């Protein structure tokens, strides 16, 4: 069997995945990652024989072993013996010994999005895309549906608090999935309902231009069938433009947000601490036969961006015909997703939170939420840029977002899949900050600086998509006067 082709030049013709029965024994290279482990977990629930490897041991890898997967710590050619299908992500390089062995043996090789498409089978697919907010919105939809009695399958890019996992195979014929646009692999899905939370320039290392990003989302929207729905944010210019194009082609569109004219409009009322409340107004005629008086949306997570994410979930409930009263009650119990303004602990009255934000718009939203939670107190930030290319493109915008904090410490760039780019360092950001001493190449010194400057009632927020999350417990320990201080070498 041959390796499946890239989605980069895919048209709006839906990818037809192999059936589960055709996959045989499935081996995941890099199975410990959030996206890969989610698919492996679902396939195990579907009775598919699964094995996988990762460079190092992890809790996620161990959990998959308990569920029945054959787990390998370390990667070697012999790990793929007995496999019929190999699953990889964009991060797996051609030099990986397992990938090389699989190609030499002529095994079927699927990108993780193609494997997830196979796991979706004949379910009604709710695919959540967008430059920001995908994980939280997907989590909210999942929690909402389960609270409303719909046991949907789901695959999310982070652990859903309250469910304790990032994926599961459900009994209902509905599949909720986070749709990653970073490498255009979201074009492999067949969404009955496509949610687009926003549409901005990002992942320019793959796309090259903002126009190419928009074109990929146009292809994504074109995959929606005639009886499907595009759910789009009315507060975001890119998302709104996408909806206008889709509607012109005959696609049913539901808009949500704070903007006047949204089909599901948010009227904010109160935000205090970690709690947010808003009124939901529905376009006249949107819910025939259903009481159309305004409803109240209550959340246990802060910020207008989370109210917006929840409104997207409500729009999905409308599109699926799910009971709104049960849906809103379930959303009121939503406590967040991992690494999305996640509480890590406190010391000396200072609270430490962690957030995955890695784009200027996301950093802005996280800091605005932190301001709400902190009230009259201060917000201190430990930020780690993610990717050299993203830092090069958005350094000034990152600085503008970080200036919302009272104290900023910026670590060196987390490279992830990239090689260094000459001249691109975190100092591109810190030189544009209002404060003079933001660059923090020494993580231990950054921890001391932030904790020494924090007072009771303040917030310290770690931000970034890399290993900055590991500083959360270190900051808590430092605030409480115990534990070693993490150094800059991680």
């Amino acid at each position: 069997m041959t390796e499946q082709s890239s989605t980069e030049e895919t048209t709006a013709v839906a990818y037809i995945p192999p059936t589960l029965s055709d996959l045989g024994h499935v081996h995941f290279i890099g199975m410990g990652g959030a996206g890969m482990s989610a698919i492996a977990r679902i396939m195990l629930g579907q009775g598919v024989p699964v094995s996988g490897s990762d460079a190092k041991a992890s809790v996620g890898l161990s959990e998959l072993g308990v569920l029945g997967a054959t787990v390998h710590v370390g990667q070697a050619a012999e790990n793929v013996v007995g496999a019929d299908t190999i699953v990889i992500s964009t991060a797996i390089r051609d030099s990986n010994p397992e990938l090389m062995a699989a190609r030499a043996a002529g095994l079927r090789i699927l990108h993780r999005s193609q494997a997830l498409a196979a796991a979706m089978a004949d379910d009604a697919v709710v695919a959540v895309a967008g430059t920001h907010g995908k994980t939280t919105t997907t989590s909210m939809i999942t929690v909402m549906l389960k609270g409303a009695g719909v046991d949907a399958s789901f695959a999310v890019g982070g652990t859903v608090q309250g469910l304790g996992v990032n994926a599961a195979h459900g009994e209902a014929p509905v599949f909720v999935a986070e749709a990653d646009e970073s490498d255009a692999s979201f074009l492999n899905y067949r969404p009955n309902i496509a949610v687009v939370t926003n549409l901005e320039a990002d992942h320019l290392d793959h796309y090259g231009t903002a126009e190419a990003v928009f074109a990929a989302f146009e292809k994504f929207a074109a995959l929606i069938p005639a009886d499907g729905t595009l759910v789009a944010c009315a507060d975001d210019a890119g998302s709104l433009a996408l909806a206008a194009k889709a509607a012109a082609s005959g696609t049913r569109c539901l808009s949500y947000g704070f903007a006047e004219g949204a089909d599901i409009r948010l009227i904010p009322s109160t935000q205090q601490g970690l709690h947010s409340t808003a009124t939901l107004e529905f376009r006249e005629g949107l819910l025939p036969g259903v009481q159309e008086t305004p409803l109240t949306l209550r959340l246990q997570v802060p910020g207008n961006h989370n109210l917006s994410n929840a409104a997207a979930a409500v729009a999905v409930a409308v599109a699926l015909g799910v009971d709104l009263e049960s849906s809103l009650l379930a959303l009121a119990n939503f406590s967040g997703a991992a690494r999305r303004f996640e509480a890590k602990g406190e010391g000396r009255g200072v609270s430490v939170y962690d957030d995955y934000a890695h784009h200027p718009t996301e950093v802005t939203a996280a800091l605005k939420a932190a301001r709400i939670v902190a009230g009259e107190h201060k917000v201190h930030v430990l930020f780690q840029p993610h990717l050299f290319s993203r830092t090069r493109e958005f350094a000034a915008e990152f600085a503008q977002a970080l200036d919302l904090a009272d104290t900023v410490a910026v670590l060196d760039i987390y490279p992830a899949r990239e090689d260094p780019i000459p001249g691109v360092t975190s100092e591109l950001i810190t030189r544009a900050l209002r404060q003079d001493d933001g660059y923090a190449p020494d993580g231990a010194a950054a921890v001391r600086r932030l904790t020494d400057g924090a007072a009771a009632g303040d917030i310290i927020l770690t931000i970034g998509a890399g290993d900055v999350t590991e500083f959360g417990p270190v900051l808590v320990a430092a605030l409480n006067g115990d534990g070693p201080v993490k150094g800059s070498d991680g």
Side-chain angles (χ1 to χ4, degrees), residues 136 139-140 143 159-164 274-275 298-302 306 330-343 353:
T136 300
S139 300
M140 284 181 170
V143 169
T159 300
V160 183
Q161 294 180 19
L163 299 179
L274 292 171
H275 298 274
R298 294 184 175 87
L299 298 177
Q300 297 182 41
V301 288
N306 276 319
L331 287 171
N333 293 320
F334 177 78
S335 55
R339 297 220 58 204
R340 274 67 183 178
F341 212 86
E342 180 182 4
Y353 293 88

Side-chain angles (χ1 to χ4, degrees), residues 325-416:
E325 184 177 350
S326 300
S327 298
L328 291 172
L329 182 60
L331 287 171
N333 293 320
F334 177 78
S335 55
R339 297 220 58 204
R340 274 67 183 178
F341 212 86
E342 180 182 4
K344 307 302 289 186
E346 64 175 71
R348 299 200 326 255
V350 179
S351 299
V352 178
Y353 293 88
D354 178 52
D355 199 278
Y356 191 72
H358 53 281
H359 183 281
T361 301
E362 295 170 340
V363 174
T364 299
L367 284 171
K368 285 182 176 179
R371 281 289 179 199
I372 293 169
V373 176
E376 298 301 315
H377 299 282
K378 291 184 177 181
V379 175
H380 312 275
V381 170
L382 181 64
F383 177 62
Q384 181 186 52
H386 185 262
L387 298 179
F388 294 98
S389 60
R390 186 180 283 124
T391 303
R392 178 188 60 198
E393 298 294 337
F394 299 115
E397 291 84 353
F398 275 124
Q400 184 177 9
L402 291 167
D403 274 333
L404 293 171
D406 295 285
T407 307
V408 180
V410 182
L411 300 170
D412 284 325
I413 297 168
Y414 186 80

